Amino acid sequence: MTSTTDAAVSPTTAEATASTAADPAASTPVPRSAESRGALLGYLGDTLALAGRHLIHLRRSPGRLVLVTMTPLVMLVAVGYLFRNSMNVPGGVPYEDFILAGIAVQVGLSGVGPTAIGVALDLRHGLVDRFRSLPIAPSAVLIGRTLADLFVGAVSLTAVSLVGLAVGWRPHEGVLRTAAGFAVLLAFIYTMLWLGILLGTTQKNVEAIDGTGALVLVVFSFLSNAYVGVNGLPEWLRPVAQWNPVTAVITTCRRLWGNDPSGAAGSGFAADHPGVVAAITLTAILVIAVAGSVRGFEKAIGR
Amino acid sequence: MTVASSDPAILAEGLQKQYRGHTALHRVDLAVPAGTVLGVLGPNGAGKTTTVRILATLVEPSAGRAVVAGHDVVREGKEVRRRIGLAGQYAAVDELLTGRENMVLLAKLLRYGRRGAALRAAELLERFELTDAADRTVGTYSGGMRRRLDLATCVIGDPQVLFLDEPSTGLDPTSRSVLWDVVRDLVANGVTILLTTQYLEEADALADRIAVIDAGRVIAEDTPAALKRMVGSERLEVTLARPESLADAVAALATLGSAQEPVADPATLRVSVQLDRGGLDEVARAAVALREKGVDTVDFEVCKPTLDDVFFQLTGTGQKKESRR
Ligand SMILES: Nc1ncnc2c1ncn2[C@@H]1O[C@H](COP(=O)(O)OP(=O)(O)OP(=O)(O)O)[C@@H](O)[C@H]1O
Ligand SMILES: [Mg+2]
């Protein structure tokens, strides 16, 4: 049928041939559980294997962990310590208490850029092509990354809280409400990761992503009540800050922790129901980002 | 073991691909019988990679259809992906992982299970001669090692159809021969392979049939031997010792009575003539004629047409080549 198999083999390749000539069918006694495993279990296995890849990355190159942890800590020191006397918080809450929720959201915001860059580099290095040529769900690749990145977020959130405790932050509403506050923060961090993935799949230029990531960090945190109450902002910016999902998340956490001075969230519906605003805006961002990312990933063209 | 019927393992009909007004593929038709190798040749930008990416379900064609391993690449992408392996033009390996970790990850994704993945990884690392480097991160690998790892990853799942986009670019002769052996081995076991290459000698050595693509169209498709016959018969090339004898040499070789006049190149002192009948007789007559004219030669060789000639002639860069001869 073919003429190539019996083509002459030069002496230099004879040895290589000897070691490779074995019938691949015979040399693969390796069992495959392809059909026997359920689809959902298979999907979970894929996701965990891919998350494992990022955890190895983290061990070999811990830059992401450092960045995502240092950004909030630097802000905590800069704002919470150096400028604390020029910041006036309405309503008699210690600034250490007030600031922590505002710092904690930065764990989520500072993760956007690195996640986006990770996705863009996978595209550039052809790994996305490789994964897309496998019979696995595209979403497994992306969810695997978010799981690993969420782990990073959780670690740096822990670090930020511990440093916060050391400089005087205290939650005042009991264990359950404290934990609920952290759950809200994790939901926020996870949503931001998908924003990063959307950025990475749609914008391939790494430098541009870097810039956009920095912009997201600055704009979302300064146009919120992270450092000052909404009423401390110029009047025309107040509605923007009030409806900013970051403000909603921060206010929710502050209320769960008993760190919320009156008026820090402004007034009106967004101020009265920060939990509702946070839930709706984060869900909306998540749905749009997931849909856009999966679509972008399926259409993605390496180089 | 694989597709038993006479259906081609790879079938492309009228594939077309447009990128924002710019046409990468005008019309590509291919049919590759199961268990054979199709070599795809073409100059840079011809559309080889685009064709491979469409067939491997990474890109949707703008028009036309393609069936790979019995499934439509657009409508049944996942079924196709279960049966193919793809080595893209650039090695797609994770630099922060070790070679083994790369292999194990992909084996897990191909559902080998934890223990199975480790076994399969070890087996293929051995086969591609990467065992010694298996536990170093890929960032420390040389280009050729990366390429070998990349090739190893795309046969993990025992694909029925394998796409190799310039697989031997950057490989040294030893690595290349490992690759060639693997290819032959896979084919012997019924795997169908489409490989693009810049090395005509590689296509000649491995491919059962060759398709030449230029500017988004298949401009020739045949066996290597038939393509070479298309270009013409053997030619005799004589390199002279002294420039003065150029005219004598041309006169001597003209006595062979070829359809074309002998061509002389004063720069290289080379005279060449088509051997219409071929064979020892004609060569002997040429030698005698040169001797009689007292022409001293430093080199005297009979050249068979190579795929290079085919390539240059078909893709219209022939003039350059002709003038050199
Ligand atoms: N994503 C893209 N967007 C726009 N044009 C593209 C894209 N991919 C390929 N092209 C164009 O399509 C044409 C064919 O490209 P392709 O990569 O298929 O060529 P090739 O034959 O593989 O070339 P080479 O030998 O250089 O690898 C080129 O003109 C290229 O510029
Ligand atoms: Mg190419």
Side-chain angles (χ1 to χ4, degrees):
Chain A
M1 170 175 54
T2 76
S3 60
T4 54
T5 41
D6 45 35
V9 176
S10 69
T12 51
T13 65
E15 196 181 80
T17 314
S19 66
T20 59
D23 181 337
S27 66
T28 41
V30 182
R32 286 176 81 181
S33 42
E35 311 322 325
S36 64
R37 237 201 300 179
L40 183 65
L41 270 180
Y43 182 85
L44 283 177
D46 293 347
T47 309
L48 290 180
L50 288 156
R53 166 180 175 234
H54 295 292
L55 291 180
I56 298 176
H57 284 184
L58 200 62
R59 213 168 60 219
R60 307 249 156 91
S61 149
R64 178 191 170 88
L65 182 59
V66 172
L67 184 86
V68 173
T69 309
M70 288 314 286
T71 308
L73 286 181
V74 166
M75 288 310 283
L76 180 59
V77 171
V79 181
Y81 184 72
L82 300 178
F83 304 153
R84 54 173 304 179
N85 293 329
S86 40
M87 300 288 187
N88 50 0
V89 183
V93 168
Y95 196 64
E96 297 82 29
D97 274 6
F98 177 77
I99 192 76
L100 194 95
I103 293 297
V105 292
Q106 315 237 348
V107 173
L109 292 172
S110 62
V112 172
T115 295
I117 288 175
V119 172
L121 288 179
D122 273 2
L123 262 168
R124 181 184 286 185
H125 293 158
L127 284 156
V128 169
D129 282 359
R130 161 104 318 140
F131 293 138
R132 284 184 56 220
S133 72
L134 298 175
I136 58 173
S139 58
V141 179
L142 300 176
I143 291 177
R145 175 182 286 279
T146 60
L147 290 185
D149 286 356
L150 185 63
F151 170 76
V152 175
V155 170
S156 69
L157 193 55
T158 308
V160 167
S161 314
L162 290 176
V163 174
L165 281 173
V167 299
W169 165 70
R170 294 288 180 273
H172 304 285
E173 305 265 323
V175 178
L176 254 138
R177 286 174 67 89
T178 305
F182 281 106
V184 171
L185 283 170
L186 285 175
F188 174 73
I189 291 171
Y190 194 70
T191 306
M192 290 301 108
L193 292 176
W194 278 98
L195 205 58
I197 290 186
L198 181 65
L199 184 62
T201 47
T202 48
Q203 169 74 56
K204 270 172 272 168
N205 182 330
V206 174
E207 284 74 29
I209 289 176
D210 220 14
T212 314
L215 207 65
V216 166
L217 175 60
V218 171
V219 169
F220 274 86
S221 58
F222 284 96
L223 286 184
S224 75
N225 61 352
Y227 307 117
V228 293
V230 166
N231 292 334
L233 290 169
E235 199 167 335
W236 61 276
L237 274 178
R238 283 178 206 167
V240 180
Q242 261 184 346
W243 286 93
N244 181 347
V246 174
T247 300
V249 168
I250 291 172
T251 306
T252 306
C253 290
R254 281 180 185 153
R255 293 206 177 144
L256 285 167
W257 294 339
N259 296 156
D260 188 42
S262 55
S267 54
F269 179 85
D272 294 342
H273 307 281
V276 175
V277 175
I280 292 174
T281 49
L282 291 189
T283 306
I285 294 176
L286 193 63
V287 167
I288 293 171
V290 170
S293 303
V294 171
R295 200 186 133 76
F297 188 83
E298 281 172 344
K299 301 272 170 217
I301 294 166
R303 29 180 153 187
Chain B
M1 183 179 79
T2 45
V3 191
S5 67
S6 57
D7 285 346
I10 303 173
L11 178 74
E13 286 178 347
L15 285 188
Q16 212 182 60
K17 181 67 193 173
Q18 255 122 16
Y19 288 111
R20 297 213 186 105
H22 156 85
T23 307
L25 294 186
H26 283 279
R27 180 177 179 91
V28 170
D29 299 275
L30 296 170
V32 188
T36 68
V37 181
L38 177 74
V40 175
L41 299 176
N44 291 142
K48 302 182 295 294
T49 298
T50 308
T51 305
V52 166
R53 292 174 61 89
I54 290 174
L55 294 174
T57 77
L58 297 184
V59 177
E60 283 193 10
S62 312
R65 67 176 201 122
V67 178
V68 171
H71 296 275
D72 186 284
V73 294
V74 176
R75 283 181 288 113
E76 304 166 294
K78 191 157 183 185
E79 292 305 312
V80 172
R81 288 193 283 274
R82 278 187 211 284
R83 295 168 174 81
I84 61 167
L86 166 70
Q89 186 165 1
Y90 306 92
V93 285
D94 189 326
E95 308 223 326
L96 281 175
L97 266 51
T98 64
R100 192 187 305 281
E101 285 163 347
N102 268 286
M103 297 291 290
V104 167
L105 171 63
L106 290 164
K108 279 185 186 164
L109 295 178
L110 287 161
R111 307 287 164 84
Y112 273 91
R114 185 185 286 264
R115 193 162 310 147
L119 284 173
R120 185 73 174 138
E123 174 189 324
L124 286 170
L125 286 165
E126 177 77 41
R127 182 168 178 188
F128 283 82
E129 304 183 353
L130 285 166
T131 305
D132 291 341
D135 297 308
R136 288 196 345 235
T137 57
V138 174
T140 67
Y141 281 23
S142 72
M145 289 162 75
R146 272 169 219 230
R147 193 75 231 190
R148 289 211 303 270
L149 180 64
D150 190 51
L151 293 168
T153 59
C154 68
V155 296
I156 293 176
D158 276 330
Q160 290 175 21
V161 176
L162 194 57
F163 297 101
L164 305 173
D165 197 357
E166 300 194 20
S168 57
T169 302
L171 291 187
D172 66 18
T174 315
S175 304
R176 191 170 303 167
S177 81
V178 170
L179 167 72
W180 288 14
D181 290 334
V182 170
V183 166
R184 288 176 178 144
D185 207 30
L186 290 165
V187 171
N189 285 286
V191 177
T192 310
I193 298 179
L194 185 152
L195 72 92
T196 76
T197 180
Q198 300 285 354
Y199 300 101
L200 301 128
E201 117 203 45
E202 178 165 275
D204 206 2
L206 295 177
D208 298 296
R209 292 178 75 80
I210 290 178
V212 182
I213 297 190
D214 191 25
R217 287 190 179 80
V218 179
I219 55 169
E221 211 249 285
D222 218 324
T223 62
L227 284 178
K228 282 189 253 175
R229 271 199 303 277
M230 249 171 61
V231 178
S233 50
E234 299 175 340
R235 39 201 309 121
L236 175 68
E237 289 201 6
V238 180
T239 309
L240 308 176
R242 291 183 309 273
E244 308 87 79
S245 46
L246 214 55
D248 285 342
V250 171
L253 293 178
T255 62
L256 294 178
S258 304
Q260 287 170 18
E261 290 288 295
V263 184
D265 182 357
T268 58
L269 294 186
R270 212 176 291 169
V271 182
S272 82
V273 68
Q274 187 99 25
L275 296 177
D276 286 348
R277 283 169 294 275
L280 203 55
D281 252 15
E282 212 171 358
V283 175
R285 287 205 289 124
V288 171
L290 287 169
R291 171 77 57 78
E292 281 172 353
K293 291 270 184 193
V295 177
D296 272 348
T297 64
V298 293
D299 195 25
F300 186 93
E301 64 175 327
V302 178
C303 307
K304 285 199 191 316
T306 64
L307 278 176
D308 287 277
D309 299 314
V310 176
F311 186 76
F312 285 118
Q313 197 169 87
L314 287 171
T315 60
T317 32
Q319 285 73 16
K320 204 165 55 195
K321 187 80 175 177
E322 281 306 314
S323 70
R324 207 163 59 75
R325 292 238 153 149

